[in-house]
């Protein structure tokens, strides 16, 4: 049975649902097979919805499944806010248009954009806002942010299989004190984005193809007498790279590490273990940095979902040493880059893909 606790906070209900009892490891393994490479490749951002109402129970159910599919060494801290009624969406729209009204466009009397955005937000059947909670260290902050972005991607993929389209929205034009007050953003928290959600009539065509992973690939160490070969990793990556990002930017590259080169710094004694470093090229623009980091988190999550069909394990890590530029430089990471995740591939069976840290869903319903 689910453990459900409801707290009253003004006119909001905060529902905390512990997934540990409802989703056993076996149940999760059954759910994992639902997301295939076909879903990852075919999913598209949807900007036009047909207005068909969405059942709140469906959104909550998919959100729980999305959270259960995120595997982490530590329990991440994140929360989301669900805007499902027309009145709540109107209130959200008002907070999102404040920056427009106060800017040059408002002063020039060009209010068509404000009216358009207000109507668009109010008429969209549902919105989910995701927030990574505050943390003491940069590593913990990144753990929380990686978790919420990965869960958002899981939710998009699961929703797609139920006929739901979504748009991941982070535009700076909506980000104001009024908007952050509306969503209750606290000091130290990171706004991950809004998912606009609805049913749709037509799937848009993709604008361009993804660059093959081979073209963003570096090998360090001997290859290829391991349980997990570089070719098998590349096959998954070429599906995983279909991750959402504004303008379809591809800010990632991959470093495949084997042998003695990895053992000292990564502290592994298993000769059968290989590692995949997923590296981000950092933009000067901080907003683009956040968007690109989120996209790479989605790519990593795609890879891990696909790896569950393989006879070897894949484990995500964010080790402390990646924040040391000198340590990262040993693996060819450039000054304008950073490691987003280290994936441990193969190795001992004790590191299986089962869930050791179930995620807890914290939803505020408006």
């Amino acid at each position: 049975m689910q453990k459900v606790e409801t707290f009253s906070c003004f006119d909001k209900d905060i529902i905390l649902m512990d997934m540990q009892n409802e989703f056993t490891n076996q149940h999760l393994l059954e759910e994992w097979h639902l997301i295939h490479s076909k879903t990852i490749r075919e999913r598209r951002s949807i900007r036009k919805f047909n207005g068909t109402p969405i059942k709140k129970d469906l959104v909550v159910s998919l959100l729980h499944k999305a959270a259960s599919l995120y595997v982490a060494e530590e329990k991440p801290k994140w929360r989301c806010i669900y805007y499902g009624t027309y009145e709540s969406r109107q209130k959200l729209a008002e907070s999102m248009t404040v920056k427009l009204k106060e800017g040059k466009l408002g002063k020039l009397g060009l209010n068509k954009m404000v009216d358009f955005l207000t109507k668009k937000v109010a008429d969209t059947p549902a919105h989910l806002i995701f927030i990574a909670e505050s943390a003491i260290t940069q590593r913990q902050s990144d753990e929380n942010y990686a978790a919420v972005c990965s869960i958002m991607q899981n939710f998009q993929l699961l929703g797609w299989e139920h006929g739901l389209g979504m748009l991941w929205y982070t535009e700076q034009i909506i980000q104001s004190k009024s908007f952050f007050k509306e969503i209750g953003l606290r000091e130290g928290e990171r706004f991950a984005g809004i998912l606009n959600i609805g049913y749709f009539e037509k799937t848009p065509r993709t604008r361009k193809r993804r660059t093959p992973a081979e073209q963003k690939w570096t090998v360090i160490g001997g290859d290829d007498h391991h349980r997990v070969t570089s070719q098998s990793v590349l096959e998954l990556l070429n599906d995983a790279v279909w991750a959402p990002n504004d303008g379809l930017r591809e800010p990632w590259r991959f470093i495949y590490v084997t042998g003695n080169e990895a053992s000292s710094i990564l502290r592994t004694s298993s000769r059968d273990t290989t590692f995949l470093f997923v590296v981000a090229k950092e933009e000067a623009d901080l907003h683009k940095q956040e968007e690109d980091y989120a996209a790479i988190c989605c790519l990593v999550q795609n890879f891990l979902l696909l790896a569950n069909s393989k006879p070897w394990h894949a484990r995500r890590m964010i080790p402390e040493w990646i924040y040391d530029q000198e340590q990262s430089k040993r693996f060819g990471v450039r000054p304008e880059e950073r490691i987003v995740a280290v994936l441990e591939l193969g190795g001992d069976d004790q590191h299986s893909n089962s869930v050791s840290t179930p995620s807890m869903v914290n939803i505020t319903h408006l």
Side-chain angles (χ1 to χ4, degrees), residues 20-212:
Q20 189 167 12
N21 294 328
E22 182 175 349
F23 290 100
T24 63
N25 286 349
Q26 181 60 41
H27 182 82
L28 290 176
L29 290 173
E30 292 171 358
E31 291 290 346
W32 268 323
H33 85 278
L34 292 176
I35 299 178
H36 297 289
S37 60
K38 185 173 183 287
T39 304
I40 292 171
R41 281 180 171 270
E42 289 184 352
R43 188 213 61 84
R44 298 285 183 269
S45 294
I46 302 298
R47 291 173 169 80
K48 186 176 182 180
F49 307 108
N50 62 20
T52 302
I54 300 172
K55 292 183 179 179
K56 184 174 71 173
D57 289 349
L58 174 61
V59 173
V60 173
S61 174
L62 293 179
L63 188 59
H64 278 264
K65 289 180 181 179
S68 73
L69 293 177
Y70 179 75
V71 181
E73 293 181 308
E74 301 174 15
K75 183 172 289 188
K77 296 180 179 179
W78 63 280
R79 60 192 180 88
C80 61
I81 307 160
Y82 177 64
Y83 288 82
T85 68
Y86 186 77
E87 291 74 18
S88 68
R89 298 195 300 268
Q90 279 186 315
K91 189 178 178 184
L92 176 63
E94 289 175 9
S95 72
M96 291 171 66
T97 56
V98 166
K99 203 169 181 179
L100 275 171
K101 292 174 183 175
E102 294 176 348
K104 291 181 179 179
L105 288 176
K107 292 177 181 178
L108 291 172
L110 301 179
N111 293 319
K112 287 186 178 180
M113 185 179 292
V114 172
D115 294 339
F116 172 80
L117 181 58
T118 300
K119 188 176 188 306
K120 188 77 173 175
V121 173
D123 289 347
T124 296
H127 301 276
L128 267 177
I129 294 177
F130 290 81
I131 296 169
E133 295 188 15
S134 59
I136 297 173
T137 67
Q138 182 63 45
R139 177 182 173 275
Q140 290 172 329
S141 177
D142 287 344
E143 287 269 15
N144 291 343
Y145 193 70
V148 75
C149 293
S150 301
I151 291 166
M152 289 174 76
Q153 174 66 353
N154 290 344
F155 185 79
Q156 288 192 106
L157 296 172
L158 291 167
W160 188 262
E161 294 189 337
H162 284 76
L164 286 174
M166 302 182 201
L167 176 67
W168 188 330
Y169 197 71
T170 63
E171 291 299 325
Q172 288 180 293
I173 196 66
I174 70 168
Q175 298 188 34
S176 65
K177 288 183 180 179
S178 176
F179 172 70
F180 291 143
K181 183 179 179 181
E182 166 62 28
I183 66 175
L185 191 73
R186 305 170 191 133
E187 185 177 354
E189 292 186 324
R190 293 164 73 174
F191 165 64
I194 305 174
L195 284 182
N196 303 335
I197 311 167
Y199 293 101
F200 60 100
E201 304 296 341
K202 186 177 180 181
T203 303
R205 283 186 280 180
T206 184
R207 286 179 286 175
K208 67 175 183 178
R209 299 184 63 83
R210 289 298 198 188
T211 302

Side-chain angles (χ1 to χ4, degrees), residues 257 259-271 273 275 277 315 317 319-321 327 330-331 342 344 348 350-351:
V257 184
N260 294 331
E261 288 80 358
S263 60
S264 60
I265 195 167
L266 299 175
R267 297 178 183 176
T268 179
S269 58
S270 175
R271 295 181 179 180
T273 302
F275 295 88
F277 298 173
R315 183 166 67 109
M317 298 181 290
E320 194 67 50
W321 65 262
Q327 295 274 48
R330 293 173 59 179
F331 294 98
V342 175
E344 180 189 72
D348 300 330
Q350 63 181 343
H351 298 306

Side-chain angles (χ1 to χ4, degrees), residues 40 149-150 153 168 210-211 213 216 236-244 249-254 276-279 292-306 316 340-341 343:
I40 292 171
C149 293
S150 301
Q153 174 66 353
W168 188 330
R210 289 298 198 188
T211 302
K216 293 174 171 280
L236 294 192
L237 280 176
N238 279 320
D239 287 325
V241 293
W242 288 86
R249 294 193 304 273
E250 299 177 310
W252 48 71
R253 72 182 184 94
F254 313 102
L276 179 68
F277 298 173
V278 187
V279 178
D292 289 348
Y293 190 91
I296 293 175
C297 291
C298 292
L299 184 157
V300 170
Q301 184 62 21
N302 286 346
F303 183 92
L304 292 171
L305 291 170
L306 295 170
R316 177 202 332 249
V340 174
L343 300 183

